[in-house]
Amino acid sequence: MMPNRRVILAIVRKDVYGLLPLIGLSWVIFFLMPVIANIDIESLAAEMEFWVALQANFYYIGFFLAALLMISVLQQDPAASLHADWLTRPISRANWLLAKLTFMLLVIVLPVVVGRILINLGAGLGIGLSVSYALGVEKLGSLLFVPLIFVIALLTPNLKKFIGLFMAMALVFLMPAWSVTRVLLMAIGISLVGIPDSLMWIQGVGMVVAGVLATAAVYWFLYCRRQRGAALASFWALVVTILLLAFPPTWLYDGESALALHRLLINEENAALDDAVVLENTMACFPAARLNDGISNAEEERHIALAAWNSEALMDRGENPLSFATTIRYREQLREWYSPSLYPGDEHSVRWRLDRARPRAHFSAESVSEAVPLRLSYTAYNRFDPIKSTDTEFWLLGDAYVDQLAADPSTQLHLNYDLALLAPTPYELPVDNQRHTFPELGSCKAELDALNNKIEIECLKRGQRPSLISAQLIGVPSSRVDNYNRAIFTGDWVESLGRSRTELTLNRVSLVEHSSVLITAYNIERMLRKELVFDGVLGDDASICPLPQAESLLAVENASWSDKAAHQNSSVAVGNGVRIQVLDWRGGQIKDAPTLLLIHGLGATAHAWDDFAPRLAERYNVVAMTRRGIGESSKPEQGYDIATLSGDVLAVMDALGLEKPILVGHSLGGEELSYIGAHYPERVQALIYADAAYDRTRPTNRHYAELMASLPDAPPVRPSERVSYAAMQDYSRRIGRDGMVVPEGEILETYDLITGARTFDELYLDAIMMGLQPPRYSEIPVPALGLFAVPSSAQSLMEAWYDQNDPQLRAIVQEVYEREVHTKAEQIARFDNEMPNSRAITLSDANHWVFASHEEESLQAIQAFIAGLPDVSATD
């Protein structure tokens, strides 16, 4: 029978009249929903908490009213009623159903869409984007509830019975949360933990499909066959199906099945990507603690606090389980390159990223008959951290196995990772508060706030969206922020129903030029599986990595570390509230001797000179300073361009009364030397570059950067090598560095002795690199000495920890050597040819820290250079 439009409209009219007050209230709420969602909360600071709560929950108010309308319109004509319109008059079931759906479309969907369109137009969106974005589903997860509400409304004649049946259903869904029923569920193989949340979208699709089928079945049995029992059976079958889809039995569908399915959906034939993903351990021994052994030291207390084990995780693990942390790094070799208009002629890279979809771990040993699985902490401090190249997992080993596995020399720890490799697509977004359209991101705009300290980014997209979106200041990867802390795996065909609004905030933007920003869309390119295997319980043999015990614990807090350098530590003001750390070796002023002002490299401090400065201080008056942004110097939110950094050097000279000192710069310290030499030559007597005279603004060489990223990092430091400076020198000898270590004061200033991590904020270092200028050697009239570290052969670059028999690695090192020799020859020639009064000295096979690896040669070259300066006589 064809639909009867007159009958359908009559039923709709009847329902509208019957529900008019509720419709009126709902329409007000539906029109307010997009208004509330777009309110700028920060402009309402006086009532901030109220508006935050309202904005966070107003969607659910609208959803509740929509559900109430759906329930009410269906219950206007309940199946059990003998006097409802569709039974007392010749109205077909199809007309009745179409009338109810038309009501929902006109009364629920249409007002929401119209309200959205009006708000979008008022926000300056074009008509096309306004309509398209308005038609998307706000929260795809809400689709799960629509069939359930529809079915219960069909089955119940009034709101009271609806609530009763809904509560009965809710009790079933709460079974996994109850201790009694949880045991029963686990007995039939239902695991409450196992499938990562990001992979459960497939189960969600199954729930929606089951809901639609159940809705059709209930309608058929109830309205077409008058079989209420069969309709109720269909409803409860739906409830059980949803429960089993949410918590599937492990024998039916588990985390392994979910990952296998995603590999099938995502992966293509590209095994090269598997080889490009390398995972590395960052610590020689894994930090650990016995949870109930009574040991109290800062290192173990810190570990236990970070692991944050809850009582459920500790269940059945014995009285004294072992907790330990594994910190694994992804070597970021894969990159995408782009050329930002903000820096013409230069190329920047965006690294591919790795999301750990599921980490697992177990022990194997000859003394155990089967693998011993470890429990992962889902409550650790970093559980909500964004995706990082280096991440930490916390594991728990039951008390019954600890001593047994520690005593077994065959014990091995297996770390297994299921990973999602994310490929980036970078876009440059102007900060002009105008909308710009990008293929994967939709319509985006970036706006600088009135105080010039942050940038608000908004992207509106209808349909499929990237797995992850990030924003950062161009050239400053440490400023990156993400829209989620994990990648989204949802299928594109599901995402096509929805819409997304991505909001990102970049802070401290005054650090660098920010007329445009980088916004990157990441998509899952491949699902990978990697395994790392370690000997022993905690990363190595028990003699190297012992269990935490009171009598053998090597606590860093009791270690013999101290800054023994004979300098005076102070700070001087350089303006705008900024203070610069100064280390002074002028215990007694050497009359008529020149003054040397030492400037360190990137990521170092004035303590970098602690070992070499005393040698210089035997003949000269020596002072060192720490650049802003690191160490004990101030860390302001601006002033990291080379002009300001050089101004800091001049201000230090003024504050200390240094007249025409000789500037000595190591590494990046050469940037201040070149700028001051070209702009303020009258302020200095000479310049000494310690492997520092390079043009760091030259375009990045893609291939060279990729070659360097593929080289293995040095082996991590063992706990026994962190207890003293002498032990750290032993570490240096172990890895083939002949005991050469940065000064003790520098280690204390820039390293965390417990974790081995650097303690500075890389954001400031990135800002410094983006504020550099090309050196203008031809405009530097003062005498200059350049010490250059140059390798003599490829073999000299083969670190002791490299696999000497790996032909591929040797080929990479050979190419690195050839490129370094060629590049350095160009840079040395430029320094020597362009600078009017220069002298270049190459130190064969010197380390970048030339004054440490070749101390005597560096000292002699400096002394000879200073001795040859006009009107200066070296003191013997």
Side-chain angles (χ1 to χ4, degrees), residues 575-586:
N576 297 321
V578 176
R579 299 192 67 84
I580 296 297
Q581 180 190 30
V582 172
L583 302 183
D584 196 335
W585 280 267
R586 298 177 299 173

Side-chain angles (χ1 to χ4, degrees), residues 307-341:
W309 296 103
N310 59 23
S311 57
E312 183 178 350
L314 296 175
M315 189 182 303
D316 70 26
R317 294 286 141 163
E319 294 183 358
N320 193 14
L322 176 71
S323 171
F324 64 95
T326 56
T327 301
I328 304 299
R329 174 175 54 228
Y330 159 51
R331 191 193 299 170
E332 297 174 308
Q333 302 182 77
L334 297 171
R335 306 181 182 199
E336 293 296 325
W337 295 84
Y338 69 99
S339 299
S341 61

